[in-house]
Amino acid sequence: MSSLPFRRQRPRRNRKSAALRGFHSETWLGPQHFIYPLFVHPGSGRIPIESMPGCSRHDMAGLLEEVEAAWAVGVRSVVLFPAIEESKKTHRAEESANPAGLIPVAIAKLKERWPELCVVTDVALDPYSSDGHDGLVAPDGRILNDETIEILCEQALCQAAAGADMIAPSDMMDGRVGAIRDALDGGGFTEVSILSYTAKYASAFYGPFREALDSAPKAGDKKTYQMDPSNAREALRELALDEAEGADMVMVKPAGAYLDVIKSLREATALPVAAYQVSGEYAMLKAACERGWLDEKKVVLESLTAIRRAGADVILSYYARQVGEWLSGS
Ligand code: PBG
């Protein structure tokens, strides 16, 4: 009985001590693997986001404090999202390219204080659009691709001029990566990178984010530009286009429910792969942990490790600062 052949192989022997487990741990998390998404608003003070406990819309002083705390625990990159006053939202989203707007001012302040911080900026019209869409809306409700790209290029140039290190188009218009690359190069910003939202799905997990920016579509949905959650092959088509158009990094969004897509991009490209653990993923984890149903530190580190194991080099996560604190023991 005790010498049955299948017991010659005992995988548990390699798990018997921390030292042995340490030999063959395949995936690790460090604060350098994170981009920290932050919300800014034009008023003063900190406005909590109800469906994202622990996250707020910051004023400039609050933004600097938050980045200071994240920097102190090793986080070296942020991505900025603006909560724009309703009165500044227009059909053509003109505010998106205002050099004195919220985002350009925030970029300049951050780069002045931390020249080594990698400041990533979102390119899309939705925070600035009175229609709540990432693109320009035609009278019949269609989203106009090429007309949108012209505005996106102006937005990208405005952010680059303010000092952004990496432009991240999240709009999903066809051909925008190439057009933004040309616009940046034409403007002399050859060193500004593009992190493309390559496989961005039409996901219900973005709900809390839209609450934070009050940016939900006024009519219709985003299914004519964001990808169908039932599709994986299509992500490879988007990848091929983004690579050809000059993307420096590619992204999958959301992350947790799309680990297979992260893996397939990882296997198909030599570019760095990013994954966005979005607002709804954060909200789910937070809600269960606040009720004491899950152990927050363990479950968050496990979910982020899984995203790295699937093949993500870098993760956009609202938990970035917290993870830095956990990992540094502070
Ligand atoms: C829109 C944008 C969205 C997010 C990032 N950029 C929402 C959307 O597409 O409606 C979502 C991020 C999150 O949920 O955390 N350009």
Side-chain angles (χ1 to χ4, degrees):
M1 191 66 190
S2 65
S3 59
L4 282 176
F6 64 85
R7 289 190 189 156
R8 288 181 191 142
Q9 292 288 345
R10 290 179 184 266
R12 288 186 54 198
R13 273 198 293 268
N14 283 344
R15 302 178 201 135
K16 71 184 170 188
S17 67
L20 258 160
R21 290 192 295 274
F23 289 157
H24 58 101
S25 142
E26 298 170 32
T27 308
W28 65 288
L29 279 179
Q32 73 268 44
H33 296 133
F34 288 88
I35 299 176
Y36 189 20
L38 291 167
F39 300 102
V40 286
H41 76 105
S44 59
R46 186 183 291 260
I47 309 175
I49 302 162
E50 207 183 320
S51 53
M52 301 177 72
C55 293
S56 299
R57 305 168 192 88
H58 299 283
D59 62 10
M60 277 315 150
L63 176 70
L64 295 179
E65 274 170 36
E66 192 60 34
V67 174
E68 174 103 65
W71 179 272
V73 292
V75 175
R76 292 290 176 265
S77 183
V78 296
V79 58
L80 304 175
F81 295 100
I84 300 295
E85 303 103 299
E86 274 315 302
S87 62
K88 290 206 172 143
K89 296 187 183 183
T90 55
H91 176 64
R92 294 188 62 85
E94 278 88 353
E95 183 63 15
S96 64
N98 175 5
L102 200 50
I103 291 296
V105 169
I107 299 167
K109 286 220 152 62
L110 290 173
K111 292 301 288 185
E112 184 189 339
R113 177 96 166 262
W114 296 279
E116 300 302 314
L117 180 73
C118 175
V119 176
V120 182
T121 50
D122 191 74
V123 162
L125 304 188
D126 52 322
Y128 309 92
S129 154
S130 47
D131 302 302
H133 273 287
D134 295 29
L136 196 57
V137 184
D140 63 2
R142 281 179 308 122
I143 306 299
L144 300 169
N145 195 88
D146 299 7
E147 294 82 344
T148 297
I149 289 180
E150 287 173 29
I151 309 177
L152 299 177
C153 288
E154 286 170 33
Q155 185 182 11
L157 280 170
C158 172
Q159 295 170 346
D165 296 285
M166 201 178 263
I167 305 292
S170 68
D171 56 286
M172 290 300 277
M173 296 301 118
D174 292 333
R176 92 281 206 209
V177 169
I180 291 171
R181 184 70 271 158
D182 289 348
L184 290 172
D185 292 349
F189 301 109
T190 54
E191 289 187 10
V192 173
S193 326
I194 297 179
L195 163 57
S196 177
Y197 286 66
T198 297
K200 178 174 177 179
Y201 286 87
S203 171
F205 284 106
Y206 308 149
F209 174 98
R210 293 181 190 168
E211 181 207 318
L213 300 190
D214 199 10
S215 63
K218 298 286 190 300
D221 53 38
K222 300 192 176 185
K223 290 181 185 168
T224 68
Y225 46 106
Q226 299 180 349
M227 284 176 51
D228 181 340
S230 57
N231 291 353
R233 288 193 305 263
E234 206 178 348
L236 295 174
R237 187 172 185 211
E238 290 283 359
L239 170 67
L241 290 170
D242 284 357
E243 284 192 313
E245 292 175 33
D248 298 285
M249 289 176 57
V250 292
M251 194 201 296
V252 175
K253 175 187 175 182
Y258 296 82
L259 297 180
D260 57 325
V261 181
I262 297 173
K263 184 154 199 234
S264 77
L265 257 58
R266 170 69 293 147
E267 287 169 352
T269 183
L271 294 176
V273 174
Y276 199 146
Q277 183 187 52
V278 299
S279 57
E281 300 178 77
Y282 175 87
M284 285 197 302
L285 289 165
K286 258 300 182 218
C289 297
E290 278 189 345
R291 293 181 184 202
W293 291 350
L294 293 171
D295 177 321
E296 189 170 30
K297 179 175 173 182
K298 287 184 181 156
V299 80
V300 169
L301 293 179
E302 180 179 331
S303 65
L304 294 166
T305 299
I307 294 167
R308 291 260 303 144
R309 190 196 63 234
D313 298 287
V314 59
I315 305 173
L316 293 82
S317 172
Y318 301 98
Y319 272 114
R321 170 186 169 185
Q322 175 76 78
V323 169
E325 287 168 359
W326 283 329
L327 296 178
S328 66
S330 59

